[in-house]
Structures are given as structure tokens and as C-alpha cells.
Amino acid sequence: MNMQLIREQFPILHQDINGHPLIYLDSAASSQKPRSVIDAVKRYYEWDNANVHRGVHTLGSRATDAYEGAREKVAKFINAASTQEIIFTRGATTSLNLVASGYARAVCGEGDEIVITPMEHHANLIPWQQAAKATGATLKYIPLQPDGTITIEDVEKTVTDRTKIVSVTHVSNVLGVINPIKEIAAIAHRHGAVMVVDGAQSAPHMAVDVRNLDCDFYAFSGHKMCAPTGIGVLYGKKALLDGMEPIEFGGEMIDHVDLQDATWKELPWKFEGGTPIIAGAVGLGAAIDFLTEIGMDAIEQHEHKLTAYAYDRLSTLDGITIYGPQQNRSGLVTFNLGEVHPHDVATVLDTKGIAVRAGHHCCQPLMRWLNVSSTARASFYLYNTEEDVDRLVDALQETREFFGYAIG
Ligand code: 7TS
């Protein structure tokens, strides 16, 4: 990958923060946007903006074409069988809540099981807690190994014939663990359960093929993959989506309405109540074009190399604890520096122009399992370089010296 060419396409990266060139290491929270995405959204508002699926006028049909064109790009990007399987949502959180409210509550009952892991983001944990409480189902957890991974043997032990849903993150936003979704899906299916995947941290960073994974639902957010905030996707197998009731009613999703009853449009529109996030979808389409042109495999390889480099360099710092496995990890490194509070680490790094995230990363049960209240996290994307990692390591070294008393 030509790093200079790639970095030139992200205007935001070329500025000083607190007197230092910005090093952005928080893409797991939200990625930066390339010029082509910013321009596509701008062009849409300057030339094509109108509501979709209703106007017979030219702008209405241009907006509809742009919106539905983006859906085709998404379907191709994840290798869905058809655009009917692509529901536009507000993001991964909304997508997962849609499955928990629209599917889980309909199929689960007393004594049934929903299986997840302790490494889930709250967005893939609380919706299942709520669905379990509402239906009398039991929420079960596949246990974690000391390095934060799960084993297939434990999946086999946890999933039973009473399991209706298995929902696992493809990539952990804290541990960087990449879960073996295809193998887990095969076990879920053998027991008649459906496989839900939280793809918030995988879709932006690797080639995803939902048919090869054979997952039933796959959720992700645009803003973590170069697209604007406010747009996301729920992929679902057509037969399952056909059998599901919508959870939002009005506007776009309506077919025929009487005083006492109503019918819905066909897929995918039945799940898209109200005026959809048209400009967001246009931006997501442009982001997919941008990522695809560079190549998802090339992006994955770049991040893999960079993360290995970061892991090795960070490991040399006295008093550092790095969480998650050393091998087979995605593009982020989560750590603590002795007893220094991660918010202090992030604040000192910010004074040097380096943006990292500190906190519980919306994974409180995982923090408890790690026996910490919070951590710092550096997360990488296609625009990050080894020089960024070197700057981080140097800055952490200085932070370490500053807080030496707390590191020992
Ligand atoms: N699932 C995972 C694995 C995530 O990392 C996130 C966001 C979500 C779901 C929710 O995505 P949203 O776009 O609907 O908010 N993760 C993070 C993070 O790690 N730091 O900030 C947001």
C-alpha cells in the first residue's frame, strides 16, 4: 500500500494537535473519512437531495437510485445473496437491537437459551439480557481462556438443543481476538440455533463473506469504516427476515393501511420505517468503493503487520500490561501502564497530539474479568504507519517516566 497516497486522502490527519502532528489511534471508536466520502455526501446534498421511493420528479429518482445503489454495494461487499438481505440501520447497535427485539423475542420462551461471550460490547450483550428477561430464556456465556480467546470445545459444551440464538463478536474491540465464526455457526446450526455476528470491528478491517461464514445475521456500522456516522447495516438471511415482524412502523415500510390494520412492504423496506438515512447510505457506498479499490486483503495485511510491530515495541516498556492474545489479533492494542490511570495516560498522550481511547470501552463485564476498571487502547486503520507506533511508544516512555512512582 502506498501510505503517502492513502494518507493524503484523509484531510483531517494533516493538522497539529497541541503543537504536534496528529497521530490518530482511535479508529476502533470511529474511523476518519477520506475526501471521496466527504465529496460524495456533499455532492448528494448539492445535486441530488430529495426523499426516496416516492417522488416522480428527477431529484426523487436520483436520490432513490443513489440510496438503492449503496445497498447493492453493501450486498456485494459482504457477498450477500441479494439486496433484500441488506437492511439499512443507524449502526451496529441498532442492528443488534433489531434482531433481539424482532427475532429473539418472537422465538424464545421459558427454558430456551441465548449464548454469548463475556467479551461482547454492551451493544451485543444488553439486548440479549433484555430479550432473555422478557421471554424467560436463559443467557449463557461461553467462558474465556486466560488470554481472552474462546475454544471450540467450550462452544460445544455451552450450546445445546435448547439454544435458540448464538451471538458472538467477530472481533473484540478490547482484546483484538478474532473469533472462529464459521466453526461457531456450524455448531449453532447443528443445534437448530441461529448465528448472529457483531461485525462492528471486522467489516472495516477484513474481507467478510457472510455466505462463507454461514451466519444468519451480521451487524456493522458505517462510521468505523470510513463512512459517516448514523448509517449501519443489518444483514439477515432472507427466510429469517421474511419471518420477522418489523419493530418500527410508519412511512417507508408501509404497504396498505386501513383504520384498524396495515400491511408492510416487502424486504428490505419493511424494516426501514420513516425517511431513511439517505446521505449516510451514499457515504457508505463511497466508503465501500474506497476500501474495495485499496483491497480489503491489503488493508488486513497492513494492519496485521502494524499490530505485530506495535505489540512487540509496546512489550518492551517497563510496567506495561497488554491484554488479549499475542497471535491472531486484529488491529488494536489494549494496555495499562502500571497503576497509572488510563485516563491520565490518554490525557498525557493528547498533549503530544496522540489520540487513544481510555475507559471500559463499553465492555464492563470484560473489564471485571480482566480485573481492571478501565484500560487504554491504541487502534489502527489503513492510514496508520510504523512511525505512528514509534511516536506512541516514545510518548508512553515519557509518560512512564513522568508517572514513574506509579509504575515501580
Ligand atoms: N460492537 C462492537 C464490537 C463495537 O466495538 C462497537 C463500538 C459496537 C458494537 C457499537 O457500534 P455503534 O457504531 O453502534 O456504536 N465500539 C466502540 C469502541 O470500541 N469505542 O467506541 C465505540
Side-chain angles (χ1 to χ4, degrees):
M1 296 204 321
N2 183 331
M3 292 311 294
Q4 198 190 333
L5 265 184
I6 287 175
R7 289 179 58 81
E8 272 169 13
Q9 295 179 62
F10 289 85
I12 205 170
L13 296 178
H14 307 283
Q15 62 176 304
D16 285 355
I17 298 280
N18 298 320
H20 300 272
L22 166 65
I23 305 282
Y24 187 74
L25 299 177
D26 197 18
S27 296
S30 198
S31 77
Q32 297 305 346
K33 323 300 175 200
R35 176 86 63 200
S36 61
V37 169
I38 299 167
D39 286 349
V41 174
K42 185 165 174 277
R43 198 179 324 111
Y44 168 77
Y45 277 127
E46 285 181 350
W47 291 98
D48 302 330
N49 179 54
N51 213 327
V52 292
H53 302 141
R54 52 196 96 198
V56 287
H57 55 72
T58 302
L59 292 189
S61 66
R62 275 201 222 149
T64 304
D65 287 351
Y67 183 66
E68 293 304 329
R71 199 190 306 275
E72 278 167 31
K73 288 177 187 182
V74 172
K76 204 163 154 221
F77 186 65
I78 59 170
N79 196 30
S82 109
T83 50
Q84 290 191 303
E85 300 183 322
I86 304 298
I87 317 291
F88 281 129
T89 67
R90 221 158 49 73
T93 302
T94 318
S95 300
L96 292 161
N97 273 281
L98 173 54
V99 185
S101 298
Y103 182 79
R105 289 183 191 226
V107 302
C108 288
E110 202 74 44
D112 288 334
E113 299 165 351
I114 299 170
V115 171
I116 64 174
T117 80
M119 78 176 86
E120 303 309 321
H121 185 281
H122 296 161
N124 194 35
L125 194 153
I126 305 165
W128 307 117
Q129 266 180 3
Q130 294 297 314
K133 280 186 191 161
T135 60
T138 308
L139 186 59
K140 287 171 75 179
Y141 287 85
I142 302 162
L144 301 185
Q145 296 300 298
D147 66 355
T149 56
I150 56 174
T151 67
I152 288 299
E153 294 71 45
D154 280 333
V155 179
E156 296 270 15
K157 276 190 218 150
T158 314
V159 178
T160 73
D161 286 344
R162 295 307 307 259
T163 306
K164 289 282 189 291
I165 292 158
V166 179
S167 188
V168 173
T169 193
H170 197 170
V171 170
S172 159
N173 64 321
V174 171
L175 303 166
V177 166
I178 304 170
N179 284 311
I181 295 299
K182 194 177 162 123
E183 287 80 357
I184 303 171
I187 296 167
H189 292 153
R190 228 176 42 236
H191 290 280
V194 302
M195 181 76 210
V196 184
V197 181
D198 175 354
Q201 298 292 351
S202 55
H205 302 284
M206 59 177 76
V208 169
D209 180 335
V210 288
R211 277 189 280 178
N212 180 259
L213 293 174
D214 197 20
C215 54
D216 299 289
F217 295 99
Y218 182 93
F220 61 101
S221 298
H223 70 96
K224 293 185 200 289
M225 49 183 286
C226 298
T229 49
I231 183 77
V233 172
L234 175 66
Y235 158 82
K237 282 186 185 160
K238 183 173 182 302
L240 289 167
L241 292 174
D242 271 333
M244 256 167 80
E245 281 297 304
I247 59 168
E248 278 189 341
F249 303 92
E252 270 307 283
M253 52 80 64
I254 289 302
D255 180 24
H256 179 84
V257 184
D258 282 329
L259 285 178
Q260 300 298 334
D261 214 349
T263 58
W264 329 132
K265 271 195 191 143
E266 55 181 12
L267 285 174
W269 304 292
K270 128 178 144 171
F271 291 107
E272 295 178 3
T275 298
I277 313 139
I278 309 164
V282 168
L284 179 57
I288 287 174
D289 287 343
F290 173 79
L291 293 170
T292 310
E293 200 175 312
I294 294 166
M296 293 309 293
D297 288 340
I299 292 170
E300 185 183 4
Q301 269 174 34
H302 169 74
E303 290 177 23
H304 183 79
K305 234 177 92 195
L306 195 58
T307 309
Y309 180 72
Y311 193 100
D312 286 351
R313 288 232 46 207
L314 288 168
S315 305
T316 62
L317 290 172
D318 270 351
I320 199 166
T321 306
I322 300 178
Y323 303 101
Q326 191 170 357
Q327 302 293 328
N328 190 33
R329 57 158 52 232
S330 158
L332 55 90
V333 182
T334 298
F335 59 91
N336 267 315
L337 207 52
E339 297 298 312
V340 186
H341 197 284
H343 280 127
D344 291 336
V345 173
T347 304
V348 174
L349 291 178
D350 184 56
T351 65
K352 299 167 190 295
I354 303 173
V356 300
R357 167 128 195 233
H360 54 61
H361 313 287
C362 298
C363 291
Q364 289 185 20
L366 179 60
M367 291 295 119
R368 241 161 267 133
W369 181 84
L370 290 170
N371 215 9
V372 294
S373 60
S374 57
T375 73
R377 179 188 68 191
S379 55
F380 310 113
Y381 208 11
L382 70 164
Y383 37 69
N384 291 116
T385 62
E386 290 193 354
E387 290 75 58
D388 293 351
V389 173
D390 293 340
R391 280 263 314 272
L392 171 70
V393 173
D394 290 348
L396 283 173
Q397 187 66 41
E398 289 165 31
T399 310
R400 217 196 82 70
E401 281 153 20
F402 185 76
F403 287 107
Y405 65 91
I407 296 172

